[in-house]
Structures are given as structure tokens and as C-alpha cells.
């Protein structure tokens, strides 16, 4: 629920660097709803210069 608020804050234009690790934790969840929110947050919060992009890529490989 807090990640959804974080996505909204990011859409308003504020910096949300502190929530990226939580997005990766949601991506590794077994619950599909949490995993879906984690991937949506990944789409919104991460860019090509994010240092946690390698961890996100590994999680995507594990899901595939």
C-alpha cells in the first residue's frame, strides 16, 4: 500500500530514491498482487542510471 503512495508521489514530480529497494522486495514476493505492484513500481521509479537495475534484472530472469 505504501509503494502505491510512493508511485503517486513520484508521478507528482518528487524524488523517490528511497523506495527502490522495497520495489525489488515486492518483485520477489510469492503473492501475485504484490509482484504486480513491484513491477509497476519498477517501471515508474527506475531509469537507465539506477544502480539497483542489476538486482531487478536478476529478479526478472528468476520469474521467467
Amino acid at each position: 500500500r505504501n509503494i502505491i503512495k510512493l508511485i503517486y508521489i513520484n508521478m507528482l514530480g518528487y524524488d523517490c530514491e528511497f523506495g527502490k529497494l522495497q520495489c525489488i522486495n515486492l518483485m520477489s514476493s510469492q503473492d501475485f498482487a504484490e509482484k504486480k505492484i513491484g513491477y509497476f513500481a519498477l517501471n515508474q521509479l527506475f531509469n537507465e542510471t539506477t544502480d539497483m537495475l542489476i538486482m531487478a534484472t536478476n529478479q526478472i530472469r528468476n520469474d521467467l
Side-chain angles (χ1 to χ4, degrees), residues 1 7-8 13 15 18-19 29 31 48 50-52 54 56 63:
R1 181 175 173 140
I7 292 170
Y8 179 71
D15 188 28
F18 56 88
S29 173
D31 185 27
E48 62 273 358
T50 304
D51 55 348
M52 291 187 203
I54 294 173
D63 287 340

Side-chain angles (χ1 to χ4, degrees), residues 9-63:
I9 291 170
N10 187 25
M11 287 177 169
L12 291 176
Y14 295 102
D15 188 28
C16 299
E17 291 287 326
F18 56 88
K20 293 181 180 179
L21 185 61
Q22 193 63 24
C23 294
I24 294 179
N25 290 338
L26 281 176
M27 288 171 54
S28 63
S29 173
Q30 296 298 321
D31 185 27
F32 180 72
E34 290 179 359
K35 191 175 285 280
K36 183 171 58 170
I37 291 171
Y39 277 109
F40 181 67
L42 170 84
N43 186 24
Q44 294 294 320
L45 299 177
F46 284 33
N47 57 24
E48 62 273 358
T49 61
T50 304
D51 55 348
M52 291 187 203
L53 200 56
I54 294 173
M55 290 192 300
T57 305
N58 288 335
Q59 185 58 42
I60 291 170
R61 282 188 194 152
N62 289 340
D63 287 340

